[in-house]
Amino acid sequence: MKNFDFHNPTKILFGKGRIADLNDHVPADAKVLIIYGGGSAERTGVLGQVRAALCDRTFIEFGGIEPNPRYATTLNAVQAIKDNDITFLLAVGGGSVIDATKFIAMAALYEGDPWEILTSGSSKVTAAMPLGSVLTLPATGSEMNNGGVITNPEKIAKLPFRSPHCYPVFSVLDPELTYTLPARQIANGAADAFVHIVEQYLTYPSASHVQDGFAESLLRTLIDLGPKSLETPEDYDIRASLMWTATLALNGLIGAGVPQDWATHMIGHEITALNDTDHARTLAVVLPSLLSDQRGHKYEKLLQYATNVWGINEGSDDQRIDAAIDATRAFFEKLGIKTRLSDYGIAAAEIELIVTALQEHGMTALGEHNDITPSDVRRILEASL
Amino acid sequence: MKNFDFHNPTKILFGKGRIADLNDHVPADAKVLIIYGGGSAERTGVLGQVRAALCDRTFIEFGGIEPNPRYATTLNAVQAIKDNDITFLLAVGGGSVIDATKFIAMAALYEGDPWEILTSGSSKVTAAMPLGSVLTLPATGSEMNNGGVITNPEKIAKLPFRSPHCYPVFSVLDPELTYTLPARQIANGAADAFVHIVEQYLTYPSASHVQDGFAESLLRTLIDLGPKSLETPEDYDIRASLMWTATLALNGLIGAGVPQDWATHMIGHEITALNDTDHARTLAVVLPSLLSDQRGHKYEKLLQYATNVWGINEGSDDQRIDAAIDATRAFFEKLGIKTRLSDYGIAAAEIELIVTALQEHGMTALGEHNDITPSDVRRILEASL
């Protein structure tokens, strides 16, 4: 196990009806900016529950955060904060809304040009406004971590940030809020969480029994409950375990002290940039090919994955690895997620565009060994067609 | 899954040489009270490392915290804090030292008689001094939770406390510090952590896939690494996973949203009170008998335990449960921990003393259903002879 720091101060308020507890967790004298995305927050009644729970606090609302939250939109929110003397931010939505709210929380207190937060690391960030979240979509884990991604189409950039100042003070996780989500979003969330776990697990052995055991357990839970959550959308227990799994997939716990990969995410981001394919679907396309391509580096962990996650114990080592990768692909397909580039209208000719974009963004040494080159990516993508 | 709150703000500094990082985590202007137990902290060089890491900060030292920390001793520490204008507490030791330091942190700021903190719940506690810890013994989990136990022999009381104000700000977990521990303490720590997990897991099904999966994974890690950690005391990876397991066994994560038992602990406390048997050893005596006695209530989880923790899949349901309980007993014995009351000099006649003490302490409705009565305890203890 490597040395590590683990610190996660976010308070989780989990369960049915927990939005009502906002009254105990938002400061009584707060002037609140409610930040949300599209119309579903209103239609589903979540915003109504939030307004009621804030009781007699003053609040204003800022809607329109995009699925890949835009830099310009966050600056508009910062202006609204300044114009209205806001003291507390409340994100109501999924990962995009929470990511945007974190960035807004930092930008509102930042002395210089907020763009620097994204381009020169977040180390210049010394403070952020306090924020809470009401999670409506289990997927990204943003509700219990300190990072996010902001997109700036003008600069053709989708840039991550991370700062210890932007953990949510609290996050409300009510599984019932997920009942009305489209199946596509639940499936995407399960796939996103699955790949988050794999990126922190399927590298090389590091004698990290606790982290490996937790990662394998979360993967088995997703394999079991992901498809079931689509069949019976209002099964509370299934949605509850799915929601808690997605949070723990990326709250720092399973990644503490272990090598990490993240190549699938970096490649996937460029596919989304190319033709707006859903983030989770790009991961489902890239991961099986990447695992197969990188089997030399990942050999021991692929065998461990085959045994402990899929129960595959028959056949030669290579056969077991192939079977585990096939099972991974089948899991995504069972969720209704296609796993080939061609399923998303991407042909061989466009692979070069993806590879070039990666190079332009400095992503020329990916993976847990920093040795996946652009030509490796080309080969991986060709195998994904 | 039940509704739950989960909040754990302690920062973990894990790995080799991390005591040196105290300099980054103790406030630069702090006046520090170093709190420790016996002479081993000095002999092993841990105190020396701590002094060096505090650099030019002012500190004084307060040794002599007992294995079951005494109320009178904590009051002496509070006096030392007042006499020396201490601003930060640093616990250097195992669970007893950290428990005591938490209580001292509360008592130092408490307006009334500190005894009230133990007797009328901790709800009157509105503040505590900031504290950090350097853990030297993986066992109780006190390094990453908000509770503890204080003993007052004058009042024949061993009383627990819990307050959100006494999470350590940080805890240093350096597995190398455990190399010099006596085998008995390592074995006790592994057994204590094992039973902490069982108390939060082996109750009745609550469809809590994440928590069950994490608990089973931690139990398997202890079963695998506990005995190995005794065979090869300086195997860093084994000690590292053992240490992280003991922390996660009782940091609130696996217990969030699930039913909990704790009868074994309550009964075990009275055995310790009777003849000073090590805490972990009392648990190893009580648990197998309790599981066997309570198999009706715990039937489904015992079968799950047999399969997922021990890989026992052959035989009738009752045979599998018996085999799992036998394996549990054998695990303790493999750690060098005897599992019968008679091994600790307790005969049938003394069982009544234990039962009476439980009654006097109001422990008349134990377990996850609050239905284990004194006469049930008598039967459980008779089966433990």
Side-chain angles (χ1 to χ4, degrees), chain B residues 296-308:
Chain B
H297 279 338
K298 296 179 183 289
Y299 208 80
E300 288 181 74
K301 282 308 267 289
L302 278 165
L303 289 169
Q304 183 180 328
Y305 174 66
T307 297
N308 293 351

Side-chain angles (χ1 to χ4, degrees), chain B residues 176-198:
Chain B
E176 292 189 323
L177 300 184
T178 72
Y179 289 175
T180 55
L181 286 170
R184 180 190 183 97
Q185 288 195 24
I186 286 287
N188 281 353
D192 194 20
F194 190 94
V195 182
H196 287 161
I197 301 162
V198 167

